[in-house]
Short mmCIF file of all heavy atoms in Angstrom, two decimals:
data_model
loop_
_atom_site.label_atom_id
_atom_site.label_comp_id
_atom_site.label_asym_id
_atom_site.label_seq_id
_atom_site.Cartn_x
_atom_site.Cartn_y
_atom_site.Cartn_z
N PRO F 1 -46.21 -58.45 29.24
CA PRO F 1 -46.24 -57.01 28.89
C PRO F 1 -45.22 -56.28 29.70
O PRO F 1 -45.04 -56.49 30.88
CB PRO F 1 -47.67 -56.60 29.16
CG PRO F 1 -48.49 -57.88 29.19
CD PRO F 1 -47.54 -58.87 29.65
N ALA F 2 -44.59 -55.26 29.04
CA ALA F 2 -43.61 -54.42 29.73
C ALA F 2 -44.28 -53.37 30.61
O ALA F 2 -45.44 -53.01 30.40
CB ALA F 2 -42.71 -53.79 28.71
N SER F 3 -43.62 -52.95 31.62
CA SER F 3 -44.07 -51.88 32.48
C SER F 3 -43.60 -50.52 32.00
O SER F 3 -42.42 -50.43 31.43
CB SER F 3 -43.60 -52.03 33.93
OG SER F 3 -44.18 -53.17 34.51
N ALA F 4 -44.38 -49.50 32.08
CA ALA F 4 -44.00 -48.16 31.62
C ALA F 4 -44.72 -47.16 32.46
O ALA F 4 -45.80 -47.43 33.08
CB ALA F 4 -44.33 -47.99 30.15
N THR F 5 -44.18 -45.92 32.48
CA THR F 5 -44.83 -44.83 33.15
C THR F 5 -45.05 -43.67 32.20
O THR F 5 -44.23 -43.46 31.20
CB THR F 5 -43.98 -44.36 34.37
OG1 THR F 5 -42.66 -43.96 33.90
CG2 THR F 5 -43.84 -45.44 35.35
N ILE F 6 -46.07 -42.90 32.43
CA ILE F 6 -46.41 -41.75 31.58
C ILE F 6 -46.23 -40.50 32.41
O ILE F 6 -46.85 -40.35 33.52
CB ILE F 6 -47.84 -41.84 31.05
CG1 ILE F 6 -48.06 -43.19 30.37
CG2 ILE F 6 -48.19 -40.67 30.09
CD1 ILE F 6 -49.53 -43.41 29.88
N THR F 7 -45.47 -39.52 31.91
CA THR F 7 -45.36 -38.22 32.60
C THR F 7 -45.85 -37.16 31.64
O THR F 7 -45.90 -37.31 30.41
CB THR F 7 -43.94 -37.92 32.96
OG1 THR F 7 -43.08 -37.97 31.80
CG2 THR F 7 -43.43 -38.95 33.94
N VAL F 8 -46.29 -36.03 32.17
CA VAL F 8 -46.78 -34.88 31.38
C VAL F 8 -45.93 -33.75 31.74
O VAL F 8 -45.45 -33.57 32.90
CB VAL F 8 -48.26 -34.56 31.62
CG1 VAL F 8 -49.13 -35.68 31.01
CG2 VAL F 8 -48.57 -34.41 33.09
N ASP F 9 -45.67 -32.85 30.72
CA ASP F 9 -44.87 -31.69 30.99
C ASP F 9 -45.53 -30.58 31.81
O ASP F 9 -44.91 -29.92 32.60
CB ASP F 9 -44.38 -31.07 29.66
CG ASP F 9 -43.59 -32.05 28.84
OD1 ASP F 9 -42.82 -32.84 29.52
OD2 ASP F 9 -43.69 -32.09 27.61
N ARG F 10 -46.85 -30.45 31.64
CA ARG F 10 -47.57 -29.35 32.43
C ARG F 10 -48.88 -29.97 32.92
O ARG F 10 -49.63 -30.69 32.13
CB ARG F 10 -47.85 -28.16 31.57
CG ARG F 10 -46.60 -27.46 31.08
CD ARG F 10 -46.89 -26.27 30.16
NE ARG F 10 -47.75 -25.30 30.87
CZ ARG F 10 -48.26 -24.25 30.35
NH1 ARG F 10 -48.12 -24.01 29.00
NH2 ARG F 10 -48.94 -23.35 30.96
N ARG F 11 -49.33 -29.69 34.17
CA ARG F 11 -50.50 -30.26 34.72
C ARG F 11 -51.65 -29.33 34.54
O ARG F 11 -52.84 -29.73 34.76
CB ARG F 11 -50.30 -30.48 36.20
CG ARG F 11 -49.19 -31.50 36.63
CD ARG F 11 -49.70 -32.83 36.35
NE ARG F 11 -50.88 -33.23 37.11
CZ ARG F 11 -50.90 -33.62 38.39
NH1 ARG F 11 -49.74 -33.85 38.97
NH2 ARG F 11 -51.99 -33.95 39.01
N ARG F 12 -51.44 -28.06 34.09
CA ARG F 12 -52.56 -27.14 33.85
C ARG F 12 -52.19 -26.31 32.60
O ARG F 12 -51.12 -25.82 32.45
CB ARG F 12 -52.78 -26.25 35.07
CG ARG F 12 -53.97 -25.24 34.82
CD ARG F 12 -54.51 -24.72 36.09
NE ARG F 12 -55.57 -23.73 35.82
CZ ARG F 12 -56.51 -23.43 36.73
NH1 ARG F 12 -56.52 -23.95 37.94
NH2 ARG F 12 -57.42 -22.57 36.43
N LEU F 13 -53.28 -26.17 31.70
CA LEU F 13 -53.13 -25.40 30.56
C LEU F 13 -54.36 -24.54 30.31
O LEU F 13 -55.45 -24.89 30.81
CB LEU F 13 -53.02 -26.31 29.28
CG LEU F 13 -51.82 -27.26 29.18
CD1 LEU F 13 -52.00 -28.20 28.03
CD2 LEU F 13 -50.56 -26.39 28.87
N ALA F 14 -54.17 -23.45 29.61
CA ALA F 14 -55.31 -22.61 29.27
C ALA F 14 -55.78 -23.13 27.87
O ALA F 14 -55.00 -23.41 26.99
CB ALA F 14 -54.99 -21.09 29.17
N PRO F 15 -57.09 -23.13 27.68
CA PRO F 15 -57.57 -23.61 26.35
C PRO F 15 -57.11 -22.72 25.20
O PRO F 15 -56.89 -21.50 25.39
CB PRO F 15 -59.11 -23.53 26.43
CG PRO F 15 -59.33 -23.47 27.98
CD PRO F 15 -58.20 -22.86 28.56
N GLY F 16 -56.77 -23.29 24.10
CA GLY F 16 -56.32 -22.47 22.92
C GLY F 16 -56.04 -23.32 21.75
O GLY F 16 -55.78 -24.53 21.84
N ALA F 17 -56.10 -22.73 20.55
CA ALA F 17 -55.92 -23.47 19.27
C ALA F 17 -54.51 -24.05 19.23
O ALA F 17 -54.29 -25.07 18.62
CB ALA F 17 -56.18 -22.53 18.10
N SER F 18 -53.48 -23.43 19.87
CA SER F 18 -52.16 -23.94 19.73
C SER F 18 -51.68 -24.70 20.98
O SER F 18 -50.55 -25.16 21.03
CB SER F 18 -51.17 -22.80 19.44
OG SER F 18 -51.23 -21.76 20.52
N ALA F 19 -52.50 -24.71 22.00
CA ALA F 19 -52.14 -25.38 23.28
C ALA F 19 -52.09 -26.92 23.08
O ALA F 19 -52.92 -27.46 22.38
CB ALA F 19 -53.05 -25.04 24.41
N GLU F 20 -51.07 -27.53 23.64
CA GLU F 20 -50.86 -28.95 23.49
C GLU F 20 -50.59 -29.61 24.86
O GLU F 20 -49.83 -28.95 25.67
CB GLU F 20 -49.78 -29.33 22.53
CG GLU F 20 -50.10 -29.07 21.07
CD GLU F 20 -48.96 -29.48 20.16
OE1 GLU F 20 -47.76 -29.43 20.58
OE2 GLU F 20 -49.23 -29.90 19.04
N VAL F 21 -51.10 -30.79 25.05
CA VAL F 21 -50.69 -31.64 26.15
C VAL F 21 -49.53 -32.49 25.71
O VAL F 21 -49.68 -33.31 24.78
CB VAL F 21 -51.85 -32.51 26.64
CG1 VAL F 21 -51.46 -33.39 27.83
CG2 VAL F 21 -53.08 -31.69 27.08
N THR F 22 -48.39 -32.34 26.33
CA THR F 22 -47.17 -33.02 25.93
C THR F 22 -46.64 -33.84 27.08
O THR F 22 -46.87 -33.50 28.29
CB THR F 22 -46.12 -32.05 25.39
OG1 THR F 22 -45.82 -31.13 26.47
CG2 THR F 22 -46.60 -31.32 24.17
N GLY F 23 -45.84 -34.93 26.75
CA GLY F 23 -45.26 -35.70 27.79
C GLY F 23 -44.42 -36.77 27.17
O GLY F 23 -44.09 -36.81 26.01
N ARG F 24 -44.09 -37.79 28.00
CA ARG F 24 -43.23 -38.90 27.59
C ARG F 24 -43.66 -40.16 28.27
O ARG F 24 -44.05 -40.21 29.39
CB ARG F 24 -41.77 -38.54 27.87
CG ARG F 24 -40.77 -39.65 27.59
CD ARG F 24 -39.36 -39.17 27.79
NE ARG F 24 -38.99 -38.23 26.67
CZ ARG F 24 -37.78 -37.60 26.61
NH1 ARG F 24 -36.93 -37.81 27.55
NH2 ARG F 24 -37.52 -36.82 25.55
N VAL F 25 -43.38 -41.27 27.56
CA VAL F 25 -43.64 -42.64 28.07
C VAL F 25 -42.26 -43.32 28.15
O VAL F 25 -41.54 -43.36 27.14
CB VAL F 25 -44.57 -43.42 27.18
CG1 VAL F 25 -44.85 -44.79 27.81
CG2 VAL F 25 -45.88 -42.60 26.99
N ARG F 26 -41.92 -43.81 29.34
CA ARG F 26 -40.64 -44.52 29.50
C ARG F 26 -40.85 -45.89 30.10
O ARG F 26 -41.86 -46.14 30.84
CB ARG F 26 -39.75 -43.72 30.52
CG ARG F 26 -39.20 -42.42 30.04
CD ARG F 26 -38.23 -41.85 31.06
NE ARG F 26 -37.65 -40.59 30.60
CZ ARG F 26 -38.10 -39.40 30.89
NH1 ARG F 26 -39.19 -39.25 31.52
NH2 ARG F 26 -37.44 -38.34 30.38
N ARG F 27 -40.08 -46.82 29.61
CA ARG F 27 -40.09 -48.15 30.17
C ARG F 27 -39.52 -48.15 31.62
O ARG F 27 -38.96 -47.16 32.09
CB ARG F 27 -39.29 -49.15 29.32
CG ARG F 27 -39.82 -49.36 27.95
CD ARG F 27 -38.85 -50.09 27.09
NE ARG F 27 -39.39 -50.44 25.74
CZ ARG F 27 -39.94 -51.64 25.47
NH1 ARG F 27 -40.05 -52.56 26.41
NH2 ARG F 27 -40.42 -51.79 24.29
N ALA F 28 -39.67 -49.28 32.27
CA ALA F 28 -39.20 -49.41 33.69
C ALA F 28 -37.71 -49.16 33.78
O ALA F 28 -37.19 -48.64 34.82
CB ALA F 28 -39.59 -50.74 34.29
N ASP F 29 -36.97 -49.46 32.73
CA ASP F 29 -35.52 -49.25 32.80
C ASP F 29 -35.11 -47.87 32.32
O ASP F 29 -33.90 -47.59 32.27
CB ASP F 29 -34.82 -50.30 31.95
CG ASP F 29 -35.18 -50.24 30.50
OD1 ASP F 29 -36.04 -49.38 30.16
OD2 ASP F 29 -34.81 -51.11 29.72
N GLY F 30 -36.10 -46.97 32.07
CA GLY F 30 -35.80 -45.58 31.68
C GLY F 30 -35.72 -45.38 30.25
O GLY F 30 -35.55 -44.17 29.83
N THR F 31 -35.71 -46.38 29.41
CA THR F 31 -35.54 -46.21 28.02
C THR F 31 -36.95 -45.71 27.43
O THR F 31 -37.97 -46.01 27.98
CB THR F 31 -35.12 -47.52 27.29
OG1 THR F 31 -36.13 -48.56 27.58
CG2 THR F 31 -33.80 -47.89 27.76
N PRO F 32 -36.97 -44.96 26.36
CA PRO F 32 -38.14 -44.48 25.80
C PRO F 32 -39.07 -45.59 25.19
O PRO F 32 -38.52 -46.60 24.62
CB PRO F 32 -37.73 -43.52 24.63
CG PRO F 32 -36.36 -43.87 24.38
CD PRO F 32 -35.79 -44.50 25.54
N ALA F 33 -40.37 -45.48 25.38
CA ALA F 33 -41.33 -46.44 24.88
C ALA F 33 -41.73 -45.93 23.44
O ALA F 33 -42.69 -45.15 23.32
CB ALA F 33 -42.49 -46.65 25.76
N ALA F 34 -41.00 -46.35 22.47
CA ALA F 34 -41.28 -45.81 21.08
C ALA F 34 -42.46 -46.49 20.43
O ALA F 34 -42.71 -47.68 20.69
CB ALA F 34 -40.00 -46.10 20.22
#
């Protein structure tokens, strides 16, 4: 299995209908984990 890291754009959000938790998953070499 490949290694990957998960990052999030914001660590704190206010609840809301349009609020979203967003981020990205990258492989160990920096390429996106599609």
Side-chain angles (χ1 to χ4, degrees):
S3 295
T5 57
I6 307 175
T7 59
V8 292
D9 298 325
R10 296 178 62 186
R11 297 287 300 275
R12 179 160 179 160
L13 294 170
S18 60
E20 289 186 325
V21 178
T22 59
R24 175 171 288 176
V25 184
R26 290 186 177 92
R27 294 171 175 265
D29 60 4
T31 59

